[in-house]
């Protein structure tokens, strides 16, 4: 039986194939995704769903692409580590995101999607404006830059959302006064933006599901990191902690959230593991399927609504601060 739902997808870099695995189970159970939102890798999945991709189509595309090509040096390619340092200093990023944007643009074009007008209001994406020190929700916040939101390319918005700071060059966006704003990964300020589709103040006609990654750590390496691995560690820490240290959770969020394991054979899948072998990609996809199956065994929308939305008065949010040990 066909069922409709809205969904929000957390960012997680190369872990994103796990999101696709979870989506596959929901599709098998008859769910159709109506409105979607996401950050970083979650923005990729959300944009492809909004364009009309199925989970199986996404899986085929992601398994066929060589992700290491997205680590394109943006400056002084032949100088190795020195070139990386100079590139980061000059362009504020180790790598160019041009190839990634081209890849996602080509995928969207296969479904006839170029601009936000083509997805008819079904898609929202987060990004972080580090110049103004605030989060952006695309496409609507583009209006403040004097840009007509519907005409903006979806692929460019996704590229903005997955612009891992320092790792990728930031996207430059000029405001109405001619000032340049540097836009980076949406995960920096809100990696799990479920509030975009549900403000907690209304009864829902369809469930709003959240797809997240569990924060489980593997063994700590005893090797001293080089510059690149050090940057990766910083990025992973920032992204994983963005919604953990201080977060606002709506009533019923844990009960509607699908938690996807990030460990494969006891080792965590890193956000920037672009050289991930095929076996790890498949295992991460299965982690998503397992999480989706486990969740749907007990999910009941009527019961959730009764427990968490039968009374919309009173305390709607609670602030969570991670315990320090």
């Amino acid at each position: 039986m066909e069922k409709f739902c809205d969904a929000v997808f957390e960012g997680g870099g190369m872990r994103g194939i796990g999101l696709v695995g979870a989506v596959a189970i929901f599709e098998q159970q008859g769910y159709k995704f109506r409105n979607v939102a996401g950050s970083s890798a979650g923005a990729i999945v959300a944009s492809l769903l909004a364009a009309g991709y199925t989970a199986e189509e996404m899986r085929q595309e992601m398994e066929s692409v060589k992700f290491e090509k997205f680590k394109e040096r943006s400056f002084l390619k032949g100088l190795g580590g020195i070139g990386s340092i100079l590139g980061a200093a000059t362009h504020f990023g180790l790598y160019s995101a041009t190839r990634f944007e081209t890849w996602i643009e080509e995928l969207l074009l296969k479904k006839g999607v170029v601009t936000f007008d083509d997805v008819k209001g079904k898609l929202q994406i987060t990004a972080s404006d580090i110049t103004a020190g605030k989060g952006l929700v695309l496409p609507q916040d583009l209006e403040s830059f004097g840009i007509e939101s519907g005409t903006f390319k979806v692929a460019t918005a996704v590229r903005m959302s997955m612009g891992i700071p320092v790792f990728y060059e930031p996207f430059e966006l000029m405001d109405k006064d001619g000032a340049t704003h540097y836009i980076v990964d949406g995960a920096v300020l809100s990696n799990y933006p479920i509030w975009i589709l549900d403000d907690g103040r209304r009864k829902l006609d369809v469930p709003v599901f959240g797809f997240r990654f569990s924060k489980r750590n593997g063994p700590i390496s005893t090797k001293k990191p080089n510059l690149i691995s050090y940057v990766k560690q910083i990025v992973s820490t920032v992204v994983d902690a963005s919604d953990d240290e201080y977060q606002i959770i709506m009533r019923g969020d844990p009960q509607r959230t699908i938690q996807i394991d990030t460990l494969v054979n006891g080792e965590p899948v890193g956000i920037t593991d672009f050289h991930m072998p095929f076996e790890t990609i498949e295992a991460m996809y299965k982690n998503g399927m397992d999480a989706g199956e486990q969740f749907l065994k007990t999910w009941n929308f009527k019961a959730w609504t009764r427990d968490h939305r039968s009374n919309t008065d009173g305390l709607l949010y609670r602030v969570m601060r991670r315990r320090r040990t």
Side-chain angles (χ1 to χ4, degrees), residues 60 66 72 96 166 180 203 211:
Q60 292 175 7
K66 295 186 181 298
E72 179 186 14
S96 167
V166 183
T180 298
K203 293 182 180 180
F211 294 77

Side-chain angles (χ1 to χ4, degrees), residues 12-17 62 65-71 95 164 167-168 228-229 231-233 235-236 262-264 267-278 280-281 284:
M14 291 302 296
R15 304 165 182 168
I17 189 66
M62 291 184 179
V65 69
K66 295 186 181 298
F67 288 100
E68 57 266 24
K69 76 178 183 179
F70 299 142
K71 292 173 60 178
Y95 302 106
I164 302 170
F167 196 82
Y168 279 123
I228 304 298
S229 60
V231 169
K232 289 181 179 179
Q233 289 175 359
V235 168
S236 295
T262 58
L263 295 186
V264 171
E267 296 286 340
V269 173
I271 291 170
T272 55
D273 286 349
F274 288 90
H275 295 282
M276 198 164 55
F278 179 79
T280 302
I281 293 174
M284 194 66 221

Side-chain angles (χ1 to χ4, degrees), residues 31-165:
Y31 279 97
K32 296 289 185 181
F33 292 88
R34 188 181 64 174
N35 299 308
V36 289
S39 177
S40 196
I44 299 173
V45 174
S47 67
L48 294 179
L49 279 172
Y53 275 87
T54 65
E56 181 57 31
E57 288 174 323
M58 285 189 279
R59 179 185 185 181
Q60 292 175 7
E61 294 289 354
M62 291 184 179
E63 287 182 348
S64 65
V65 69
K66 295 186 181 298
F67 288 100
E68 57 266 24
K69 76 178 183 179
F70 299 142
K71 292 173 60 178
E72 179 186 14
R73 292 279 175 85
S74 58
F75 187 69
L76 300 178
K77 296 181 181 180
L79 296 182
I82 294 176
S84 295
I85 295 171
L86 292 175
T90 304
H91 300 285
F92 308 127
L94 295 171
Y95 302 106
S96 167
T98 301
R99 287 185 179 178
F100 170 82
E101 184 175 349
T102 299
W103 173 68
I104 195 70
E105 186 172 29
E106 290 173 351
L107 290 184
L108 292 169
L109 191 58
K110 288 180 181 180
K111 298 291 186 178
V113 170
V114 177
T115 69
F116 276 95
D117 276 342
D118 296 323
V119 292
K120 300 177 174 60
K122 296 186 294 185
L123 173 67
Q124 295 181 80
I125 292 170
T126 66
S128 301
D129 182 348
I130 59 173
T131 302
K134 66 179 183 180
L136 300 175
V137 178
L138 309 176
Q140 52 264 47
D141 285 345
L142 291 167
E143 301 287 348
S144 65
F145 291 88
I147 299 171
E148 187 177 342
S149 60
T151 64
F152 199 76
K153 285 187 175 182
V154 174
T156 302
V158 175
R159 176 258 181 270
M160 293 162 69
S161 183
M162 55 70 60
I164 302 170

Side-chain angles (χ1 to χ4, degrees), residues 186-203:
V188 171
L189 293 179
S190 184
N191 199 25
Y192 182 57
I194 199 163
W195 46 269
I196 290 179
L197 297 184
D198 178 22
D199 62 5
R201 299 177 183 275
R202 61 186 176 87
K203 293 182 180 180

